[in-house]
């Protein structure tokens, strides 16, 4: 199961190359690296199941989360094609795109906002602020959600 990642908020103009690349490094390349490590074993045993956790943002993104959405779109896309590529080895691939769960995802250690903000993006910044204020109040129950993966 690949569930590493973090959120990054900001407009494309606000996010630095470093911030953007770091997000892709963790959210996309981290997933790819785990798959590369486990696939030889699964291919040799002719079975296995890879579960990649994406996000609802990979399907229905919202303002202020363009780069995060791009990384999660990537996880959805690579998972869908991977499922086709490894089917002949008896390996299954599932991509999960959860919505808002009461986890630590909205905590400061799991989500980053662009270090350089531009004041003209008022509506986007207000939307980000509203999302971050939902920390601990998300509608999804993590206890119920943990059973969705198995």
């Amino acid at each position: 199961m690949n569930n590493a990642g973090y959120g990054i908020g900001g407009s494309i103009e606000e996010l630095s190359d470093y911030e953007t690349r770091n997000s892709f490094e963790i959210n996309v390349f981290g997933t790819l690296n785990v798959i590369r490590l486990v696939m030889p074993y699964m291919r040799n045993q002719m079975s296995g199941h890879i579960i990649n956790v994406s996000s609802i943002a990979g399907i229905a993104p919202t303002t202020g989360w363009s780069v995060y959405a791009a990384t999660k779109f990537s996880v959805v896309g690579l998972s869908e094609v991977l499922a086709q590529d490894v089917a002949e080895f008896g390996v299954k691939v599932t991509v999960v795109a959860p919505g808002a769960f009461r986890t630590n995802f909205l905590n400061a250690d799991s989500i980053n906002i662009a270090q350089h903000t531009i004041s003209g993006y008022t509506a986007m910044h207000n939307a980000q602020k509203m999302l971050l204020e939902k920390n601990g109040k998300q509608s999804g129950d993590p206890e119920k959600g943990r059973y969705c993966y198995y």
Side-chain angles (χ1 to χ4, degrees):
M1 175 179 271
N2 288 306
N3 192 24
Y6 71 94
I8 185 156
S11 72
I12 290 173
E13 182 182 12
E14 292 175 320
L15 291 165
S16 69
D17 189 62
Y18 173 80
E19 290 169 313
T20 300
R21 288 180 186 276
N22 194 47
S23 182
F24 273 89
E25 190 67 38
I26 293 168
N27 293 354
V28 178
F29 288 101
T31 298
L32 291 171
N33 290 335
V34 170
I35 293 166
R36 287 183 185 121
L37 288 172
V38 301
M39 269 312 301
Y41 299 100
M42 292 182 176
R43 184 172 29 81
N44 287 334
Q45 70 187 16
M46 297 297 286
S47 68
H49 194 168
I50 296 170
I51 302 172
N52 294 325
V53 179
S54 177
S55 166
I56 192 64
I59 298 168
T62 59
T63 185
W65 306 99
S66 57
V67 169
Y68 177 69
T71 67
K72 295 306 182 173
F73 270 118
S74 295
V75 172
V76 169
L78 73 87
S79 299
E80 289 178 355
V81 175
L82 178 65
Q84 297 170 39
D85 292 348
V86 301
E88 68 183 296
F89 306 118
V91 176
K92 294 179 173 38
V93 179
T94 301
V95 62
V96 180
F101 277 84
R102 286 183 309 278
T103 66
N104 68 349
F105 181 75
L106 294 179
N107 291 355
D109 60 344
S110 295
I111 201 159
N112 294 319
I113 302 299
Q115 291 182 3
H116 169 72
T117 58
I118 299 171
S119 61
Y121 285 101
T122 308
M124 184 199 72
H125 292 150
N126 287 339
Q128 285 177 333
K129 183 180 175 190
M130 285 175 46
L131 176 69
L132 295 174
E133 288 173 351
K134 292 180 181 180
N135 190 18
K137 303 172 202 153
Q138 300 95 322
S139 59
D141 181 348
E143 282 303 310
K144 291 179 181 176
R146 72 185 205 142
Y147 296 106
C148 296
Y149 300 121
Y150 304 103

